[in-house]
Structures are given as C-alpha cells and as structure tokens.
Amino acid sequence: MEEKRALGLYVHIPFCKSKCVYCDFYSLPHSEEKMDAYADALRAQLRAFAPRAADHRVDSVYFGGGTPSYFGAARLCALLKTIFDLYDVTPDAEITLEANPESARSVDALHALRTAGFNRISLGMQSADDDELRAIGRIHTNAQTAQAVACARQAGFSNLSLDLIYGLPTQTSERWRKNLSAAIALAPEHLSCYGLKVEPGTPLYAIREQAQLPDDEAQADMYLETVETLARSGYPQYEISNFARPGRESRHNLKYWTLGEYLGFGPGAHSDFGGRRFAWARDLDAFLAGEIERSEDSVIAPRSRAAEYLMLGLRTTRGIRAEDCALPFGPAEKVLRECGQHGLAECAGERWRLTPQGFLVSNAVIVRVLEAMDL
Ligand code: SF4
C-alpha cells in the first residue's frame, strides 16, 4: 500500500485582547462575541477539506494567531477533537498552541489543553523588560511570562518555545543581552528571535521617527550576538530566526521551509497543498458567513517550485544542494561560491548554506541566486 503523504494543519485564531503597535498580522481586538461563531466556521472549513486530505497523515498541527490562548481552552480542545475526528493524525504529531503569557497562567486550563493533545506551547515573551513590553503595546509583564512557563511545565508541556524581538524602541545591546539571558534562564526547548520590522500601516510606523529605534547596524550586532550566545547555550541555529535544542526544531515550521504540504484554516491562512498554493482572504465576517474567498490561488509551476526551493532552503542552516534542485545548479553555486569568499556562504559536504553574516543579507543573496538561475 502506498504510504500516506505527510501534512501540516495550521488553524488561525484572529483574536487578540488588544493590538500591539508593531503588529500587521490578521488579528482583531474586541471581537470576543464572535468567538463561538468562529469556532463553528472553522469546524465547517475543517470538515469541507477533510475528504481531500484523506490520503495524507497529519504529523503537525499549529494553532497560531492572533492569540489562540485568548480563544479559551474549551474552544481549543473542541477544535482539536474535531481535527482528530476528521483527519488521520499520527500518534507522535507535534501539536502547537501559540499563547500570550497573560492568558496562559491557569494550570487547570493548560492541563486541559495538554490532556486534549496539545504537546507544544509557544509563548510570546518578546522582552524581559516591562518598559519595552509597554512601549510596543504588549499586555503582559515579564513576571507573567515566568508564571506562564511555570504553569505550562506544571501542566505537562515538555516542549516549550519562547518568542523574542530584538531592535525594540530604545533598546540597547546591553538590554537585549539581558533579555536573551532571561529567556535562556527559563530553559525553553526552542527560541525564535525576530528583528523588529516597522511595517507600514502600523501605529509604530506612524511614530517611527520618535521611537528611538536601534539602527540597522545595531540590529545586525544584536543578531550576530544572538546566534553566538544561543549556540554556546545549547541552542544551535536551524533557520534565520529559529534556534532549538537538538531534536526540538519545530516540525511544523520546517514544513514551510522545506516545501512540505500544509493546509491553513481561517481568514488569512495560507496553504500549499496538492501542487496548489492558496490563501483565504483576511475577512472575518465573510468567513463567519461561510462566504470566504481565496485571495490567491495558483498551480505551482515547476520553475516557481525550484525558486521556492532555493529561497526557502537558504533560510535554513541545512541549506540547499544540487541533487534536490529541479534545475541545473551551476549558476546558483557560482554565486554562492562568490558569497563564500566574503564569508556570507559556506559549503558543508554537498550542501550550500548561508553563514550568520550571510543571513543578515539573505534577501540580497537570494535575489542574486535567483537572477543567476534566470528565475
Ligand atoms: S498578540 Fe500577536 S497577533 Fe496579537 S496584536 Fe500582538 S503581535 Fe499581533
């Protein structure tokens, strides 16, 4: 019998208690009254796609947002049960819940989630400094992060990730170093460290000139120090912004970078499934009315798949190799060899990957590689 293909499921929860000033994710504050209807609409969408995924086995499920923990344990547990009922979820599937420390401090609720099948929790710590947290509109404190970690451990979560942001308003290297140390002291299995991006349309963008943001050079120094510090502390880098204890890399997120198949549910969610790439419009009301449309939908042509392989593979420390590239690899290798002379790329065995210095300018390197490949 042919083996079933692996599949990841992403469930988008677009609710937050309030909006952070830097956020351009699809998340809506003050919409609690829509949560029950949203759970019903998600169930309908999960049901509609289940027959199409019958020849797949689900080895990762990711509830992201928004703030899934704010959606409430009862709704989350019920939705996960729907997934178990409708999809072939493997016994060892990685099942992640994103959580805000402020709404993940009840051992009972976390225990209910753990019992329902969630086995990984990703906490949005962002900073260990309460002034920094306030400045970006986060509603939690550093003490609440520590409480959330303790509660998650008590509830039985042995796979825990922390998200941090560097380059925050007024942040110095010294303060970032303290944040990183505070996160390491909480002994997570996984860390994601993102540089702050000031996205047009966000409140932070409007005040960017007065926000005392660290400049590009300062952010670059923070990044390089992060890679080194985390490697020394037992968290080797495996993707531009992601670090993990060996064996604790996020299986779900790796699907995005290694061209695995995934299905996304809810407004704004993206899918790469059955050779098509599609996304649902960012429109909660249309979703609730069962009238959501696709904001993009295309068959993935072999050349764009090859471009994705190069682009996404160069985000990871596993890198890329000729054997896995659908097109002649020579032109890409020539660019990477040149980058290697400047310390931006390196060849390990037959694989090419970017160095931490190279990750800092990954967009420019990837553009050069794609141009050389005529993609
Ligand atoms: S908690 Fe996350 S999704 Fe919600 S507003 Fe803040 S950054 Fe955006």
Side-chain angles (χ1 to χ4, degrees):
M1 208 169 77
E2 205 175 308
E3 207 187 318
K4 287 184 166 189
R5 294 207 302 276
L7 175 68
L9 302 183
Y10 173 81
V11 181
H12 190 65
I13 307 293
F15 302 104
C16 288
K17 203 164 182 177
S18 67
K19 194 83 183 167
C20 305
V21 298
Y22 59 92
C23 178
D24 78 332
F25 297 121
Y26 185 59
S27 77
L28 307 161
H30 316 304
S31 304
E32 293 80 355
E33 73 289 351
K34 297 184 176 170
M35 286 184 180
D36 285 329
Y38 188 72
D40 289 342
L42 274 178
R43 246 184 295 278
Q45 204 179 37
L46 284 163
R47 204 169 293 121
F49 271 86
R52 284 178 242 180
D55 57 350
H56 286 69
R57 62 190 164 82
V58 173
D59 64 353
S60 73
V61 181
Y62 195 103
F63 280 64
T67 309
S69 53
Y70 179 48
F71 198 50
R75 290 188 192 93
L76 293 165
C77 292
L79 275 172
L80 186 55
K81 181 172 182 319
T82 300
I83 289 173
F84 286 144
D85 290 345
L86 294 172
Y87 293 82
D88 178 7
V89 182
T90 62
D92 69 339
E94 175 191 274
I95 304 180
T96 303
L97 176 75
E98 273 184 1
N100 187 313
E102 189 263 348
S103 50
R105 291 178 298 129
S106 154
V107 176
D108 287 347
L110 289 165
H111 188 257
L113 291 161
R114 182 69 194 90
T115 307
F118 288 94
N119 53 28
R120 183 171 183 272
I121 189 162
S122 174
L123 288 168
M125 175 178 182
Q126 317 309 2
S127 167
D129 184 296
D130 287 345
D131 290 336
E132 285 181 357
L133 289 169
R134 253 192 308 276
I136 54 170
R138 299 292 302 189
I139 53 171
H140 70 277
T141 61
N142 183 47
Q144 289 177 339
T145 300
Q147 279 172 21
V149 170
C151 290
R153 294 302 196 196
Q154 213 179 319
F157 281 92
S158 58
N159 197 358
L160 184 146
S161 179
L162 296 174
D163 280 6
L164 290 174
I165 304 177
Y166 59 90
L168 295 177
T170 74
Q171 192 172 62
T172 57
S173 295
E174 178 64 27
R175 197 119 51 82
W176 167 244
R177 219 168 282 140
K178 279 190 184 159
N179 288 347
L180 200 52
S181 302
I184 293 168
L186 291 170
E189 280 68 38
H190 184 282
L191 279 149
S192 300
C193 300
Y194 302 103
L196 180 69
K197 285 209 174 63
V198 183
E199 302 286 357
T202 60
L204 183 59
Y205 188 82
I207 57 155
R208 64 192 183 286
E209 301 300 344
Q210 303 91 58
Q212 296 180 53
L213 295 162
D215 61 19
D216 289 350
E217 205 176 317
Q219 258 213 26
D221 288 345
M222 289 180 197
Y223 176 75
L224 293 175
E225 191 171 343
T226 301
V227 175
E228 259 181 44
T229 305
L230 289 179
R232 265 201 320 273
S233 308
Y235 298 93
Q237 180 175 34
Y238 71 99
E239 192 266 351
I240 292 182
S241 308
N242 285 282
F243 308 81
R245 296 263 188 233
R248 298 305 190 116
E249 299 82 7
S250 163
R251 185 189 292 174
H252 187 82
N253 288 339
L254 273 169
K255 284 186 192 296
Y256 300 143
W257 306 313
T258 57
L259 308 182
E261 282 188 289
Y262 54 90
L263 272 173
F265 298 91
H270 289 250
S271 299
D272 180 335
F273 183 71
R276 292 191 90 84
R277 180 173 292 290
F278 58 93
W280 300 109
R282 290 175 155 212
D283 186 341
L284 178 62
D285 290 330
F287 185 69
L288 295 179
E291 293 165 358
I292 193 85
E293 297 202 347
R294 295 183 185 201
S295 57
E296 63 176 82
D297 187 1
S298 58
V299 171
I300 306 168
R303 286 182 68 78
S304 44
R305 194 48 115 190
E308 282 176 3
Y309 170 71
L310 298 169
M311 272 189 296
L312 298 171
L314 284 174
R315 293 182 61 103
T316 68
T317 55
R318 194 171 146 72
I320 55 176
R321 62 175 183 170
E323 195 184 323
D324 297 330
C325 183
L327 298 173
F329 194 65
E333 196 159 21
K334 184 163 179 279
V335 172
L336 291 167
R337 192 162 291 126
E338 280 164 25
C339 290
Q341 285 163 8
H342 301 282
L344 303 177
E346 61 193 10
C347 188
E350 54 187 357
R351 293 189 163 276
W352 278 97
R353 65 179 185 207
L354 300 189
T355 61
Q357 286 282 358
F359 282 138
L360 275 174
V361 290
S362 60
N363 288 346
V365 174
I366 288 168
V367 165
R368 279 194 60 201
V369 168
L370 295 183
E371 279 174 2
M373 297 286 283
D374 206 14
L375 288 168

